[in-house]
Amino acid sequence: MNCNLFDLIGDKEPDQTKGLGLLLAESPIAMKCFLELVGETEIKSLLKKRWVVDCELRQSLTSNKSLRADIVIRFYDGFNPYKVYIIEAKSVNAKIDMERVASQIANYKEEFDILSRFQENQVVLVTLTNTSSLNQNIRTVTWQDL
């Protein structure tokens, strides 16, 4: 009851997101389903591209501070950056302050060096939580939908 496929991998959010990241990296069918869930309009085109999935991607800010994005999916047309999805996940059991999550994921967009090769319109922010968001700049997926 109240469990999902990713609970088989572990009950903590990092376990769940690593499981999802592996699935997205290895399965074109899973990637297609994910892109449908986030409302992507160019799915066929993206699935013809090369994609790289990073789980727990870190960016150092100072010697004592860093950021960690849960999942980053980068699509490339050959070697050229095409589109990137930054996914911030929260445990299915966590109580969420969606404004705080929105602020957190927007900060990733500004701070991660790896994203500097992507143009503003190529970066898609996604939250994966137990609730939907009304923020127009962030796409939301719930664990239940997944």
Side-chain angles (χ1 to χ4, degrees), residues 64-125:
N64 298 340
K65 195 173 181 184
S66 66
L67 295 175
R68 180 184 60 83
D70 291 319
I71 301 174
V72 176
I73 306 168
R74 292 173 285 142
F75 287 89
Y76 292 92
D77 187 5
F79 291 102
N80 299 316
Y82 189 80
K83 198 163 206 172
V84 61
Y85 290 82
I86 305 169
I87 305 166
E88 178 57 32
K90 299 298 180 191
S91 173
V92 69
N93 299 318
K95 292 188 178 189
I96 306 300
D97 176 353
M98 288 307 286
E99 286 183 26
R100 187 168 161 249
V101 175
S103 173
Q104 181 181 4
I105 197 168
N107 195 31
Y108 295 162
K109 187 176 176 180
E110 302 300 319
E111 297 291 342
F112 275 87
D113 292 340
I114 200 165
L115 302 178
S116 64
R117 296 187 60 210
F118 292 87
Q119 295 178 15
E120 178 78 19
N121 64 343
Q122 295 174 312
V123 180
V124 180
L125 305 177

Side-chain angles (χ1 to χ4, degrees), residues 3 48 52 60 90 101 124 146:
C3 291
K48 292 178 183 176
V52 176
S60 294
K90 299 298 180 191
V101 175
V124 180
L146 197 59

Side-chain angles (χ1 to χ4, degrees), residues 1-143:
M1 195 78 149
N2 296 324
C3 291
N4 63 51
L5 174 67
F6 302 101
D7 289 329
L8 295 173
I9 297 164
D11 62 346
K12 304 271 190 252
E13 176 266 318
D15 300 330
Q16 295 165 350
T17 54
K18 286 179 191 175
L20 175 59
L22 177 62
L23 188 61
L24 294 172
E26 298 295 326
S27 171
I29 294 170
M31 181 61 76
K32 178 182 182 286
C33 292
F34 173 78
L35 293 171
E36 288 171 352
L37 281 173
V38 298
E40 182 55 62
T41 58
E42 57 175 313
I43 295 171
K44 286 183 181 180
S45 175
L46 284 171
L47 292 176
K48 292 178 183 176
K49 311 269 187 249
R50 179 175 61 93
W51 66 83
V52 176
V53 178
D54 292 303
C55 294
E56 297 193 4
L57 183 65
R58 294 193 182 273
Q59 173 68 52
S60 294
L61 300 177
T62 64
S63 60
N64 298 340
K65 195 173 181 184
S66 66
L67 295 175
R68 180 184 60 83
D70 291 319
I71 301 174
V72 176
I73 306 168
R74 292 173 285 142
F75 287 89
Y76 292 92
D77 187 5
F79 291 102
N80 299 316
Y82 189 80
K83 198 163 206 172
V84 61
Y85 290 82
I86 305 169
I87 305 166
E88 178 57 32
K90 299 298 180 191
S91 173
V92 69
N93 299 318
K95 292 188 178 189
I96 306 300
D97 176 353
M98 288 307 286
E99 286 183 26
R100 187 168 161 249
V101 175
S103 173
Q104 181 181 4
I105 197 168
N107 195 31
Y108 295 162
K109 187 176 176 180
E110 302 300 319
E111 297 291 342
F112 275 87
D113 292 340
I114 200 165
L115 302 178
S116 64
R117 296 187 60 210
F118 292 87
Q119 295 178 15
E120 178 78 19
N121 64 343
Q122 295 174 312
V123 180
V124 180
L125 305 177
V126 179
T127 60
L128 177 57
T129 64
N130 59 5
T131 59
S132 295
S133 171
L134 298 176
N135 188 315
Q136 294 177 340
N137 298 321
I138 299 175
R139 300 182 192 182
T140 62
V141 175
T142 65
W143 283 104

